[in-house]
Each structure stands twice: as structure tokens, then as C-alpha cells.
Amino acid sequence: MGIFSRNFDRPGPGVSKDAPKKKGFARFFEIMGRDFFDLWKVNLLTALFFLPMLAVAGFAWVYRQYAGMLLLSALAFLIASLPVGPALCALQSIVSRMVRDDPFFFWHEYKKAWKSCWKQAMPLGAVLCLLGGAECLALGMYFTMGTQNFFVLFALLLGLLLQAAVWLLATLQMVYMDLGTLSLLKNSLLIFFGRVKRTLPAVLTVVVVMGALFLFLNPALLPLLVLLGVPTWLLVSADMWLWPALDELFNLDQRLADKRAAEDAQPPEGA
């Protein structure tokens, strides 16, 4: 197969079709080597949907000393963030299928995820983006003001961690399950605390690495890291932790296999 073609894990010389899946770093690099181009592609698409929201956030930071500008920025930020939720669901759909070794056609799956999730993901994503933006703005002001209140810092960091957990778990559930918004949020928090041995490393991987890059790296290099697909690499790692937790709770692998078998058993249209 070519470098830009998917091999769908076909067994080849010396590779048994029943060989057990690799784990840990070996599994991560296997996915990266096999799906790098599709990961880069979906990362770039997701980044494009974030650009308007980030532009508004930059405006809000520049004029943060004016209450009127902050209110105007909050409204503009809310509108600009509407496409982010569906974009993240489409991203999760692509990445989680790579993690599960589930064959798919990229554009078909991307559009399918958008179509199935946008009504729920748009308002939920906008609200979570607004809360996350407020948290980041508060953190930025905390560090620029030079305050040393540990409890304020802890509360802000905990808020970001919980929001990241809700984002990751809610988007996975939206892609694979049909739940109301309140059930999504409740499930996300219950899963995070109930399966903390898996969920905490997944969320920390994303939050700590992205936070460290933002704080300690030259800002001029951040667009380059996004262009290379680094955020999506982190999502691969996070989903490797999260999917077994969701599958254990909801038996998703079996339910998806049963659904696929039922669809395959149906006669083609017009037959």
C-alpha cells in the first residue's frame, strides 16, 4: 500500500491476522505510522474551525481592562465557537476509529459525524468554550498580576482539568451514543471520577502537555506544532486510555459489532 493509503490492518507476510494488539508506546507509534496523513488532515480541519474563536480571544486579551469590550468579546466568542463542538466530534470520530482499528472512509466518516452531532454539539460546545475561555483569561490575569494565592490557582487549574475531561468524554459519547445533554455531562463527570486510573492520565496528557507548550515554548512555534498535528497526537494517546473505560461501562465494542452485523444482513436497497 502507498504511504497515503490505509491498509486496514491486512495480514501480510509474517503478520498473523490473530496477532494480539500492541500496547503502550508500541501501540501509539503503530497508529501514528499507519494513520499519520489522516491524523494530520483531521487536525488541520479542526484547527480551521478554531481560528475565529482564537482571534476573538486575542482581541479580548488585548482589551481586557475594559468591561464593555469584555462583554462584546464574550458575545463574539460565543458565536465564533459554535462550529467547534461539531468539529471536535468529527475529530473524535476519526481518532477513536483509528484507536479501535475500525476501517472507515475519511470524508464519509467526517461528514457523518458532523451531521449526527451538530445539533447537540453546537450549543454545548459554545458554552464549554465560553467557560474555558473565561478560565484561561482568569489564569492569564492571575499570572500577570503576580498574585500568590494557591487556592485560587488550584481552583482555576481544577476547573480547566474538569472541562477538558468533559470535552473528551462528552464528544466520545456523542459520536457513539444517543443521550441528552444533561446525561452527557453527568456521565462525563461520573466516568472521570469512577474510572480515574484511566481518565486522569488521559486528561492530564492533553492538559499538561498543551499547557507546557503554551507557557514555555516560543509563541511563534505554536502554529507550527498545530500545523504538524501535535494536538491530534495527544488525542490519540488520550483515547487509548479512555476507550477501554467507556467500553467496560457501556459494552460499546459489542454493541457496535452487533449494529454493523445487522446493517450487513439487510438486503441492499432496490433488491
Side-chain angles (χ1 to χ4, degrees):
M1 301 290 284
I3 190 172
F4 298 129
S5 302
R6 291 185 57 85
N7 57 25
F8 300 113
D9 288 341
R10 287 185 180 177
V15 181
S16 170
K17 65 179 181 180
D18 298 320
K21 286 185 179 180
K22 297 177 182 177
K23 296 182 180 180
F25 286 109
R27 175 69 177 145
F28 174 80
F29 287 113
E30 179 185 53
I31 296 171
M32 291 297 300
R34 183 191 65 199
D35 298 310
F36 181 84
F37 182 67
D38 280 348
L39 281 168
W40 175 82
K41 194 162 49 178
V42 74
N43 175 83
L44 186 60
L45 285 168
T46 309
L48 291 175
F49 286 107
F50 269 84
L51 285 178
M53 185 182 72
L54 294 176
V56 174
F59 178 87
W61 177 252
V62 172
Y63 294 100
R64 62 189 181 278
Q65 66 269 35
Y66 303 108
M69 285 296 188
L70 282 178
L71 290 175
L72 181 63
S73 298
L75 178 60
F77 188 90
L78 195 64
I79 296 171
S81 64
L82 285 173
V84 171
L88 287 175
C89 285
L91 171 66
Q92 273 285 27
S93 181
I94 297 293
V95 172
S96 62
R97 278 168 170 76
M98 293 174 178
V99 170
R100 294 171 44 234
D101 290 332
D102 186 14
F104 62 93
F105 294 101
F106 183 91
W107 289 113
H108 172 77
E109 190 59 44
Y110 191 85
K111 290 185 289 185
K112 178 183 174 184
W114 255 88
K115 184 178 180 180
S116 64
C117 297
W118 73 270
K119 288 184 180 180
Q120 187 175 34
M122 272 193 173
L124 177 60
V127 172
L128 289 176
C129 281
L130 186 61
L131 291 175
E135 289 270 0
C136 291
L137 182 63
L139 269 173
M141 295 177 69
Y142 175 90
F143 287 116
T144 55
M145 292 172 63
T147 56
Q148 298 296 323
N149 190 318
F150 170 79
F151 294 103
V152 172
L153 179 60
F154 176 78
L156 291 173
L157 293 176
L158 180 61
L160 278 179
L161 186 71
L162 290 177
Q163 287 183 50
V166 169
W167 262 121
L168 290 168
L169 291 164
T171 49
L172 269 175
Q173 291 176 85
M174 273 189 276
V175 170
Y176 293 103
M177 302 168 67
D178 185 15
L179 296 171
T181 299
L182 291 179
S183 295
L184 277 175
L185 297 175
K186 182 182 72 173
N187 277 2
S188 298
L189 291 174
L190 290 175
I191 295 168
F192 177 69
F193 290 108
R195 294 293 187 273
V196 71
K197 288 184 179 180
R198 282 197 166 274
T199 57
L200 186 59
V203 178
L204 284 176
T205 298
V206 177
V207 173
V208 172
V209 174
M210 290 302 297
L213 292 175
F214 183 79
L215 289 174
F216 302 115
L217 198 66
N218 188 321
L221 294 177
L222 292 175
L224 177 60
L225 293 180
V226 172
L227 185 61
L228 289 174
V230 172
T232 313
W233 304 352
L234 296 175
L235 185 58
V236 170
S237 175
D239 279 0
M240 288 172 61
W241 285 97
L242 293 176
W243 183 260
L246 264 70
D247 183 44
E248 180 183 350
L249 288 167
F250 303 111
N251 198 24
L252 287 178
D253 278 331
Q254 186 59 51
R255 289 168 60 182
L256 291 169
D258 293 343
K259 180 180 178 181
R260 188 180 299 110
E263 292 173 350
D264 292 342
Q266 292 179 353
E269 293 183 8

